[in-house]
Amino acid sequence: MHYQDSLPRLPIPKLEDTIRRYLSAQKPLLDDSQFRKTEQLCKSFENGIGRELHKQLVAQDKQNKHTSYISAPWFDMYLTARDSIVLNFNPFMAFNPDPKSEYNDQLTRATNMTVSAIRFLKTLRAGLLEPEVFHLNPAKSDTNTFKRLVRFVPSSLSWYGAYLVNAYPLDMSQYFRLFNSTRVPKPSRDELFTECEARHLLVLRKGHCYVFDVLDQDDNIVSASEIQAHLKYILSDHSPAPEFPLAYLTSENRNVWAELRQKLVRSGNEETLRKVDSAVFCLCLDDFPIKDLVHLSHNMLHGDGTNRWFDKSFNLIIAKDGTAAVNFEHAWGDGVAMLRFFNEVFKDSTQMPAVTPQSQPATIDSSVAVQKLTFKLNDALKTSITAAKEKFDATMKTLTIDCIQFQRGGKEFLKKQKLSPDAVAQLAFQMAFLRQYGQTVATYESCSTAAFKHGRTETIRPASIFTKRCSEAFVREPSKHSAGELQQMMAECSKYHGQLTKEAAMGQGFDRHLFALRYLAAAKGITLPELYLDPAYEQINHNILSTSTLSSPAVNLGGFAPVVPDGFGIGYAVHDDWIGCNVSSYPGRNAREFLQCVEKALEDMFDALEGKSVKT
């Protein structure tokens, strides 16, 4: 937390900048007459109610210097959403296997990852976790010398010290919700619950819930051999799967789940639920190996509904063959905090494993230490669990996931061509959708604003007049353009995408600002301004292409479901010499076909960059 006090505040963009950026993003999505209508609405918003709301937002922000203007509305957006959090909100990230193959044994890896996760918790709570910093010039700032120096700069000034060497400390206010936390369903608005005093781990296997302490009375980590013994005991429990696995309820509509939770409490399950909610985290042990990347995505994104507690801040999932992943709830935090935990756990569990495949579990009576949770269920609750299961199964059947690995090149090649790798990936999605469906549609790329106090995310809008022009050239009439002209168009797209990315990371997008103004209007009981009733506003927020990228040596792949029924959920990563892309869709859209079009787009762009002619 060394930098936390001096982090800069998230800026509220100027209203005219927001309107200008909004109109630029609308341009490729609208025909001329629609665009003129939207332009008119923007003008009257900017000179009328919008100006008033903006003034109020700025005044309110001045009164709340401890936070950011987006923090409360954003928590609210997540917590008031009533849709199931499965598919709609929770994403997953899968770990690479342990480089030492014998360490991928399920019991060994589960023990090592659990111990590493608790080590992370201990380091965080002791205030010893190194601050998260984004280094623009790592040779200068990511050094022991700099760290030693900046230690002596008081917290109120430390950010400036980092800034001088081109390093940007990131907000760490979300981290405390990583552990002992759960999203508790409540009517109309859920609550985030955290109980730091709890010392037990929640383990799910075959739909059964178990708890045992992983911290002792003095808050020291229970010995690895004991944790191993307890996990071995759980893995050797041969009792049949429960007829009514309670975990299904965490996948329900939030109001339905809130009501059922009240029934559970009234039926005498309050204390048992408290154990689930307060557990350090949820470890899910699956009883089958992972067949391939598609099976991996389905299992880690949703599974069969019996063996995940989707409300926990995160579920650490370990399959029979040691394949591991996290599935995390999104209200409490964003990818940055989760990825830091993820990277540290991977590094620690592979480089400093607590147990080896030869380690013997402690000789200890696990039947005393491990408590199997039992829930009292009346007929009404049993019926509700069955209904939740049927809904879950029916929904999951509709989801398709597919992935590709494009092997012709990646970051290194594209940077040599002076192109932004992210811009090229995004351009491929624009070309693919144009080829498949003949149009340019609302596209969302998330960008972290964690460089600011209580920052969350901002939206990059990758669909622009530049990507539209370039996509049309590649898809509709490649023979009309020389390789040089196509390269020129790609360069324009890359430059503009780079600008949008920089703006978003600096809090200078338009999406969060317009969202906050709308939220303020609703909170003040003001009639919804016309801008927000414009079909074009609704359309740009109906994100048919929802995209997100994470790159880390610990991540095998990540993914999420589409955010609209007729959309694609696109998780991707541009590696040094290859590009990976993991896509989900519902009926009416075809993920497999879309990926074939992405692959074609990448081939075409690489051809153009190598000076070859592009085929239709």
Side-chain angles (χ1 to χ4, degrees):
M1 290 290 166
H2 184 61
Y3 296 109
Q4 198 65 26
D5 288 345
S6 57
L7 282 177
R9 300 197 59 228
L10 181 68
I12 298 176
K14 292 185 177 133
L15 187 58
E16 56 267 33
D17 289 347
T18 288
I19 297 296
R20 175 176 50 78
R21 291 175 179 132
Y22 173 62
L23 286 170
S24 299
Q26 285 285 17
K27 191 106 185 126
L29 309 178
L30 303 173
D31 66 28
D32 286 349
S33 73
Q34 289 171 319
F35 185 77
R36 277 198 299 276
K37 186 188 162 216
T38 296
E39 215 172 14
Q40 277 314 117
L41 289 169
C42 282
K43 264 206 182 81
S44 47
F45 181 76
E46 192 184 339
N47 298 319
I49 183 66
R51 180 184 291 184
E52 196 40 53
L53 286 168
H54 178 76
K55 232 189 337 213
Q56 290 183 26
L57 184 67
V58 171
Q60 193 180 49
D61 187 54
K62 279 210 172 86
Q63 302 283 293
N64 291 281
K65 293 207 162 129
H66 62 286
T67 186
S68 72
Y69 79 91
I70 200 62
S71 187
W74 210 240
F75 274 122
D76 240 25
M77 181 271 301
Y78 276 123
L79 295 171
T80 57
R82 299 291 84 192
D83 289 329
S84 163
I85 59 176
V86 185
L87 301 193
N88 297 307
F89 294 102
N90 288 30
F92 83 90
M93 293 191 285
F95 289 93
N96 276 319
D98 192 305
K100 303 186 291 297
S101 61
E102 68 278 17
Y103 278 76
N104 290 306
D105 163 75
Q106 187 180 26
L107 177 60
T108 306
R109 199 165 200 204
T111 306
N112 284 328
M113 287 194 142
T114 299
V115 171
S116 293
I118 307 297
R119 284 175 181 162
F120 183 93
L121 174 150
K122 293 271 298 165
T123 311
L124 174 66
R125 298 236 170 113
L128 297 172
L129 192 67
E130 198 174 301
E132 188 70 9
V133 176
F134 180 66
H135 298 275
L136 276 177
N137 183 357
K140 226 159 107 183
S141 57
D142 202 2
T143 63
N144 287 331
T145 317
F146 171 71
K147 286 171 192 171
R148 272 201 300 274
L149 279 172
V150 81
R151 251 176 222 165
F152 297 106
V153 182
S155 265
S156 56
L157 297 170
S158 53
W159 180 85
Y160 301 94
Y163 178 72
L164 289 175
V165 290
N166 230 347
Y168 292 85
L170 303 183
D171 176 76
M172 296 188 73
S173 64
Q174 296 174 3
Y175 283 63
F176 83 101
R177 293 249 189 235
L178 255 172
F179 299 106
N180 303 92
S181 296
T182 298
R183 173 174 174 160
V184 178
K186 296 275 164 138
S188 74
R189 187 185 191 272
D190 293 354
E191 276 168 21
L192 294 176
F193 166 88
T194 303
E195 190 183 307
C196 294
E197 296 70 45
R199 303 194 181 99
H200 61 279
L201 176 71
L202 171 66
V203 183
L204 263 55
R205 177 168 171 263
K206 277 189 176 167
H208 294 289
C209 299
Y210 308 81
V211 292
F212 65 83
D213 283 355
V214 285
L215 294 164
D216 66 17
Q217 302 307 115
D218 304 319
D219 273 341
N220 295 312
I221 304 180
V222 168
S223 78
S225 62
E226 281 183 43
I227 291 174
Q228 187 184 10
H230 298 336
L231 292 176
K232 187 178 179 181
Y233 170 80
I234 291 169
L235 284 168
S236 54
D237 179 354
H238 292 303
S239 50
E243 201 182 342
F244 300 100
L246 201 66
Y248 276 124
L249 297 184
T250 66
S251 73
E252 259 291 9
N253 166 284
R254 302 308 289 177
N255 282 339
V256 173
W257 175 205
E259 197 179 320
L260 291 171
R261 197 185 151 99
Q262 283 313 114
K263 283 185 184 165
L264 279 165
V265 168
R266 286 199 294 271
S267 307
N269 296 293
E270 187 162 17
E271 205 156 309
T272 321
L273 283 168
R274 179 91 185 212
K275 286 205 164 107
V276 169
D277 294 339
S278 63
V280 173
F281 64 89
C282 178
L283 172 68
C284 310
L285 300 171
D286 286 349
D287 268 358
F288 46 82
I290 298 298
K291 297 195 271 281
D292 53 37
L293 289 176
V294 172
H295 181 219
L296 173 75
S297 290
H298 279 289
N299 190 52
M300 304 314 186
L301 187 60
H302 57 80
D304 69 359
T306 65
N307 216 41
R308 311 278 181 266
W309 199 270
F310 291 108
D311 291 349
K312 287 297 285 175
S313 55
F314 70 91
N315 288 255
L316 173 60
I317 305 162
I318 303 182
K320 189 82 178 151
D321 58 1
T323 304
V326 292
N327 174 299
F328 68 98
E329 198 281 309
H330 220 319
W332 67 270
D334 302 303
V336 182
M338 202 63 235
L339 188 63
R340 170 71 186 272
F341 167 76
F342 188 97
N343 288 339
E344 299 280 3
V345 166
F346 181 76
K347 189 176 166 191
D348 190 70
S349 65
T350 54
Q351 294 179 8
M352 307 211 305
V355 297
T356 71
Q358 288 72 43
S359 301
Q360 286 305 306
T363 42
I364 181 175
D365 186 0
S366 291
S367 68
V368 177
V370 178
Q371 182 194 357
K372 191 171 182 177
L373 302 181
T374 52
F375 294 92
K376 304 183 184 93
L377 303 175
N378 57 27
D379 288 348
L381 283 163
K382 287 177 181 173
T383 307
S384 300
I385 291 170
T386 305
K389 170 188 164 43
E390 283 166 8
K391 199 190 286 188
F392 182 92
D393 291 346
T395 306
M396 299 316 140
K397 266 200 200 94
T398 66
L399 184 77
T400 304
I401 303 178
D402 217 326
C403 59
I404 55 162
Q405 283 125 333
F406 177 79
Q407 301 289 358
R408 220 172 121 180
K411 232 181 255 175
E412 285 174 7
F413 173 73
L414 293 169
K415 281 187 172 164
K416 275 197 190 104
Q417 305 286 325
K418 299 204 164 36
L419 291 171
S420 142
D422 189 59
V424 172
Q426 287 289 345
L427 187 49
F429 307 147
Q430 293 300 316
M431 288 182 190
F433 198 89
L434 185 72
R435 183 177 295 280
Q436 197 180 4
Y437 298 105
Q439 57 184 146
T440 296
V441 291
T443 308
Y444 180 110
E445 178 183 355
S446 78
C447 176
S448 171
T449 49
F452 300 96
K453 185 175 290 186
H454 293 190
R456 294 288 309 234
T457 56
E458 181 52 270
T459 309
I460 298 167
R461 292 292 185 170
S464 66
I465 52 175
F466 303 102
T467 62
K468 190 176 188 173
R469 191 184 307 148
C470 185
S471 301
E472 284 174 351
F474 270 87
V475 173
R476 297 203 170 131
E477 42 185 29
S479 53
K480 279 194 193 163
H481 302 275
S482 68
E485 287 167 355
L486 294 173
Q487 288 172 13
Q488 182 57 43
M489 283 191 246
M490 288 175 69
E492 278 178 351
C493 291
S494 174
K495 188 180 163 196
Y496 188 65
H497 187 76
Q499 182 194 327
L500 290 179
T501 303
K502 208 175 195 168
E503 286 176 356
M506 298 305 289
Q508 295 292 334
F510 67 82
D511 281 87
R512 298 300 173 270
H513 187 196
L514 287 180
F515 178 85
L517 294 173
R518 179 184 180 156
Y519 181 88
L520 184 65
K524 301 256 181 198
I526 297 166
T527 327
L528 195 61
E530 266 191 278
L531 172 90
Y532 298 107
L533 299 167
D534 181 7
Y537 178 82
E538 194 179 331
Q539 178 185 275
I540 202 170
N541 286 298
H542 182 90
N543 291 298
I544 289 174
L545 296 176
S546 178
T547 73
S548 188
T549 183
L550 282 177
S551 57
S552 143
V555 176
N556 178 0
L557 86 167
F560 50 93
V563 296
V564 292
D566 57 340
F568 288 113
I570 306 171
Y572 66 101
V574 184
H575 303 272
D576 283 343
D577 53 1
W578 64 283
I579 300 170
C581 192
N582 196 20
V583 175
S584 61
S585 65
Y586 292 120
R589 296 283 185 206
N590 184 331
R592 172 83 241 133
E593 198 180 286
F594 177 74
L595 279 168
Q596 286 165 351
C597 295
V598 169
E599 208 150 10
K600 164 84 172 123
L602 289 167
E603 292 287 358
D604 287 352
M605 285 192 279
F606 274 63
D607 281 348
L609 291 170
E610 286 168 4
K612 298 176 190 154
S613 65
V614 174
K615 296 162 205 65
T616 314

